[in-house]
Amino acid sequence: MAGLGLFVNSSDWQLHRVFANYFEGIALLLFLLTFLGRIHGGLRWFPLGLLVLTSLQHMTIQTFSGYLRALHTIDALLLFGISMHLMKRSWRWLSIGKKKYLQSKKPDCVNIEN
């Protein structure tokens, strides 16, 4: 989206700004859904981290000045990386099932069922 505003047409900057606002709502919704799904650990807290980083995106443009505005790009990379990590862990959680996922996180000495 930012590339459109920079390289194609400057009127597309508004699209970038509006599009980014949806991410806050999605991250908040994901966090709240973890309680309904009884999801614990990192899978619960990563969406909250995404919400914080998305808020930081707004701050880097609206309140920061000078070189601190360059944090906008670094924050975007963090958002992307954490989103990919969350997707990978969520996919594993969904594909093998909640119980098997939780059992795979236990050390062998604690798993007395074997």
Side-chain angles (χ1 to χ4, degrees):
M1 295 291 168
L4 287 175
L6 187 61
F7 298 115
V8 178
N9 189 351
S10 62
S11 64
D12 288 328
W13 276 114
Q14 185 61 25
L15 178 63
H16 175 73
R17 294 178 72 205
V18 171
F19 183 71
N21 291 330
Y22 289 108
F23 286 107
E24 286 178 326
I26 292 170
L28 182 59
L29 179 65
L30 286 173
F31 177 68
L32 294 175
L33 287 175
T34 63
F35 291 97
L36 289 174
R38 296 181 181 153
I39 298 171
H40 300 286
L43 286 177
R44 172 172 285 174
W45 298 107
F46 277 119
L48 192 59
L50 291 174
L51 179 65
V52 169
L53 287 174
T54 304
S55 298
L56 183 62
Q57 280 293 90
H58 295 292
M59 290 174 48
T60 57
I61 293 300
Q62 295 171 358
T63 60
F64 292 178
S65 62
Y67 291 116
L68 288 176
R69 283 187 161 198
L71 292 175
H72 188 79
T73 306
I74 295 167
D75 190 41
L77 291 172
L78 284 171
L79 278 165
F80 179 76
I82 291 173
S83 296
M84 292 297 104
H85 179 73
L86 184 60
M87 182 188 69
K88 182 180 175 185
R89 288 189 60 190
S90 298
W91 189 262
R92 181 170 177 228
W93 188 84
L94 288 170
S95 65
I96 66 172
K98 180 181 175 182
K99 288 184 180 180
K100 288 182 182 178
Y101 177 79
L102 292 174
Q103 288 176 351
S104 71
K105 292 296 179 185
K106 292 180 184 177
D108 289 333
C109 61
V110 176
N111 191 356
I112 58 173
E113 294 176 13
N114 289 339

